Amino acid sequence: MEACSFSSLLLIFLSLLLSLWSAAGIRFVIDREECFSHSVPYEGDTVRVSFVVIKAENSWHYGDEGVDFVVKSPHGDQLHDARDKTSEKFEFIVQKKGLHRFCFTNNSPYHETIDFDIQVGHFTHFDQHAKDEHFSPLLEQIAKLEDALYNIQFEQHWLEAQTDRQALVNEGMSRRAIHKALFESAALIGASILQVFLLRRLFERKLGMSRV
């Protein structure tokens, strides 16, 4: 019984080591074009990618212009192509191991701040390390649970980037609304002063004509 417990604990520990994950996240400013490379060591790995255009360089500019995003395999094959996107989230299965390229192109006249995230997941075949049919389902469930946990972290990071973008958009809209209200108030005050001045001039002219 004790040997069984020790074996199960050992297999659980090994299963955690056999499930290999790598992740990379960066927030950067792009002028025209920016490319990143990420090495994927195994074929069949799952690669999850997301990006969000956080803000533009010009604080008064809050349009919906996005960026172009292209993913290429180590042999130059195009794996994904997104055009004019402010955010994107997708995943793909690696067909050829090696250095993958992720390129952004900014078509707007402003510098853009982009939040970019990559997550690579690899699972070793458990049946090569454990032959006991009683442990295989357990290892499979542990692998699925770990995959779900990493996916939650990936989703959370993407949602945080979306929240940052929306907060900046809302802040910019509030600032523009305040400036617009101040401008309209100043214009209204100026128009009132001009109206009073013109009325005084009109009364003064009529008063001068009546004295003559």
Side-chain angles (χ1 to χ4, degrees):
M1 189 71 178
E2 293 179 356
C4 182
S5 299
F6 177 78
S7 299
S8 63
L9 290 174
L10 180 61
L11 285 172
I12 292 173
F13 177 72
L14 287 174
S15 70
L16 293 175
L17 292 179
L18 292 172
S19 177
L20 304 176
W21 286 86
S22 66
I26 185 174
R27 183 169 293 190
F28 63 96
V29 177
I30 180 174
D31 178 14
R32 281 290 154 226
E33 186 175 5
E34 196 77 34
C35 290
F36 300 92
S37 298
H38 193 84
S39 180
V40 184
Y42 303 101
E43 294 179 0
D45 284 358
T46 300
V47 179
R48 297 189 178 104
V49 181
S50 73
F51 73 87
V52 178
V53 179
I54 302 294
K55 65 176 180 178
E57 178 185 42
N58 187 350
S59 60
W60 284 92
H61 177 73
Y62 288 94
D64 292 329
E65 297 89 346
V67 296
D68 298 340
F69 179 58
V70 175
V71 181
K72 291 187 177 181
S73 72
H75 297 284
D77 300 326
Q78 188 166 292
L79 304 177
H80 187 80
D81 185 6
R83 299 291 172 179
D84 198 26
K85 296 282 188 178
T86 56
S87 67
E88 182 84 339
K89 181 178 62 173
F90 68 97
E91 65 180 50
F92 63 93
I93 304 298
V94 174
Q95 303 298 325
K96 298 176 182 177
K97 64 181 181 180
L99 208 62
H100 288 65
R101 285 180 62 81
F102 305 84
C103 292
F104 294 88
T105 302
N106 180 20
N107 298 316
S108 76
Y110 308 103
H111 289 72
E112 301 279 1
T113 300
I114 298 177
D115 188 284
F116 180 46
D117 197 32
I118 305 174
Q119 184 186 77
V120 181
H122 170 73
F123 291 100
T124 303
H125 296 291
F126 294 114
D127 55 356
Q128 297 176 359
H129 300 271
K131 299 298 184 180
D132 195 330
E133 61 181 5
H134 298 290
F135 292 115
S136 295
L138 177 62
L139 297 177
E140 184 179 353
Q141 292 302 318
I142 291 174
K144 289 180 179 179
L145 177 61
E146 189 174 10
D147 179 44
L149 290 175
Y150 275 102
N151 193 30
I152 289 172
Q153 293 179 356
F154 182 80
E155 293 283 340
Q156 183 180 10
H157 183 84
W158 187 74
L159 290 173
E160 287 175 354
Q162 289 277 25
T163 302
D164 290 345
R165 170 183 167 81
Q166 193 59 44
L168 289 169
V169 170
N170 293 340
E171 181 183 350
M173 292 179 65
S174 299
R175 190 186 305 120
R176 284 193 295 177
I178 293 173
H179 290 170
K180 181 181 178 182
L182 291 175
F183 177 78
E184 290 177 348
S185 299
L188 183 60
I189 293 172
S192 300
I193 293 174
L194 179 61
Q195 188 176 20
V196 171
F197 175 76
L198 293 176
L199 287 173
R200 287 187 59 183
R201 289 290 303 273
L202 180 61
F203 283 122
E204 287 175 356
R205 286 187 61 186
K206 287 188 175 181
L207 182 61
M209 291 177 63
S210 61
R211 288 178 179 176
V212 175

